[in-house]
């Protein structure tokens, strides 16, 4: 019951800077978990990409500074 309440709260978008990433693996056919709760390198990569996109969309992540030559 608490999981459903938290999922509803996350999806409501009413808490600033709290983002729902629960669907990050929905389109993935391969297994990304290395055990019942931990993800491997591919899972970490997908999470990082999603976090980057969400934070950029929310205006919380700026473009990286240009490297000096």
């Amino acid at each position: 019951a608490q999981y459903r309440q938290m999922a509803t709260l996350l999806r409501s978008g009413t808490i600033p800077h709290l983002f729902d990433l629960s669907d990050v693996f929905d389109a993935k056919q391969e297994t990304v978990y290395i055990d019942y709760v931990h993800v491997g390198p591919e899972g970490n990569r997908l999470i990082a990409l999603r976090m980057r996109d969400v934070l950029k969309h929310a205006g919380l992540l700026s473009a990286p500074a240009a490297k000096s030559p």
Side-chain angles (χ1 to χ4, degrees):
Q2 287 182 338
Y3 175 81
R4 278 188 240 122
Q5 288 174 331
M6 181 55 77
T8 300
L9 184 60
L10 279 171
R11 290 185 184 108
S12 73
T14 58
I15 301 175
H17 310 298
L18 184 63
F19 306 101
D20 180 14
L21 306 179
S22 63
D23 63 347
V24 70
F25 304 134
D26 285 358
K28 196 73 178 153
Q29 295 293 327
E30 303 85 31
T31 300
V32 294
Y33 289 92
I34 57 174
D35 60 24
Y36 67 96
V37 70
H38 297 98
V39 296
E42 177 64 5
N44 285 321
R45 186 184 74 79
L46 293 171
I47 293 168
L49 290 172
R50 173 61 83 71
M51 288 174 66
R52 179 200 63 194
D53 293 346
V54 166
L55 293 173
K56 282 172 95 174
H57 180 73
L60 299 172
L61 184 67
S62 60
K67 291 184 179 179
S68 300

